[in-house]
Amino acid sequence: MLYFIGGPPKSGKTTLAKRLSKSKGIPWVSTDTLQTVIIPYIDENELNEKFPTRAQRCESNDEKYSKYLTDEIIKAYQKQAKTTYPAIDMFAICEITDGNDFIIEGYHVEPELVAELNEKYPGKLKSIFLLKSDETKFIDNIKKSTTPNDWIIARTKNEETYNEIAKMVCKYGEFFKKEAEKLGFKSMNMDDDFDNQIEVAINELTAT
């Protein structure tokens, strides 16, 4: 069985993947890794078009979020996700063919992709989508983060930027929630009682 975990950045995907991996003895991979693997095979002239978050990268989050609008940042993530679909599909079919269980997590895992894979490989995967919707709680939790080299804390100095990042993550979460509901997939809000919600998500994914 393949376990797909999608959602916007900082919604708990990696935490869920790690805990599910540890509790069930199933290996996991981030779609960021799959994206990195395919980048060298993309024509250099197409990199910024196919991976627009690279083009948006700045010296700091403060610079990025003052330069680009929330919708521009979300659209860049979405474009990058779709560019990575074929790599995720190839990884999936390799693991299915070999009869392996695997956890695949990342913002590249969109409901549309899971629907396509469900149709191609019926009965071979389960999925869940995590999201955040409360901007104030998101900021409070980020500032308490103990994640090594947290990309938000490490690259953010201005208080206003935290607000802009929170707005982006929560609005991006609305996309995942809406698309998951439309396609009949489970989504979970992770604003409150995070650790318990992680356990609920594990149970949801592993229920027979």
Side-chain angles (χ1 to χ4, degrees), residues 9-61:
K10 307 304 291 185
S11 57
K13 300 183 302 299
T14 302
T15 299
L16 173 55
K18 287 180 176 179
R19 292 193 192 176
L20 178 58
S21 174
K22 185 176 180 179
S23 66
K24 301 299 180 181
I26 304 171
W28 70 279
V29 67
S30 168
T31 53
D32 286 334
T33 300
L34 302 182
Q35 172 185 281
T36 301
V37 168
I38 66 173
I39 283 177
Y41 299 96
I42 304 296
D43 187 294
E44 193 169 320
N45 295 322
E46 297 181 330
L47 277 176
N48 285 347
E49 176 190 350
K50 293 182 178 296
F51 300 98
T53 61
R54 290 166 53 93
Q56 290 180 352
R57 186 172 177 83
C58 299
E59 289 298 318
S60 67
N61 288 324

Side-chain angles (χ1 to χ4, degrees), residues 87-175:
I88 300 172
D89 186 2
M90 181 60 69
F91 186 89
I93 189 57
C94 287
E95 298 307 320
I96 289 171
T97 300
D98 289 343
N100 297 329
D101 293 335
F102 227 100
I103 303 161
I104 303 168
E105 66 88 11
Y107 72 85
H108 310 80
V109 177
E110 296 182 331
E112 178 186 35
L113 171 63
V114 173
E116 291 176 5
L117 297 181
N118 262 328
E119 187 172 345
K120 291 175 73 173
Y121 318 118
K124 299 297 185 180
L125 58 142
K126 294 185 177 181
S127 64
I128 198 164
F129 298 90
L130 309 185
L131 58 101
K132 300 284 185 76
S133 64
D134 190 310
E135 295 177 21
T136 300
K137 288 180 180 178
F138 178 85
I139 294 169
D140 289 343
N141 290 332
I142 284 297
K143 290 182 177 179
K144 297 173 186 175
S145 174
T146 57
T147 303
N149 302 315
D150 186 292
W151 65 269
I152 295 181
I153 294 175
R155 294 171 51 80
T156 305
K157 302 299 181 185
N158 298 336
E159 191 68 26
E160 180 59 30
T161 304
Y162 283 101
N163 297 331
E164 293 302 315
I165 294 172
K167 183 195 304 182
M168 184 279 291
V169 169
C170 291
K171 187 167 185 180
Y172 198 5
E174 292 174 6
F175 160 78

Side-chain angles (χ1 to χ4, degrees), residues 8 11 129-133 173 176-177 187-191:
S11 57
F129 298 90
L130 309 185
L131 58 101
K132 300 284 185 76
S133 64
F176 279 97
K177 182 180 180 181
S187 66
M188 290 185 60
N189 190 303
M190 307 299 287
D191 285 332

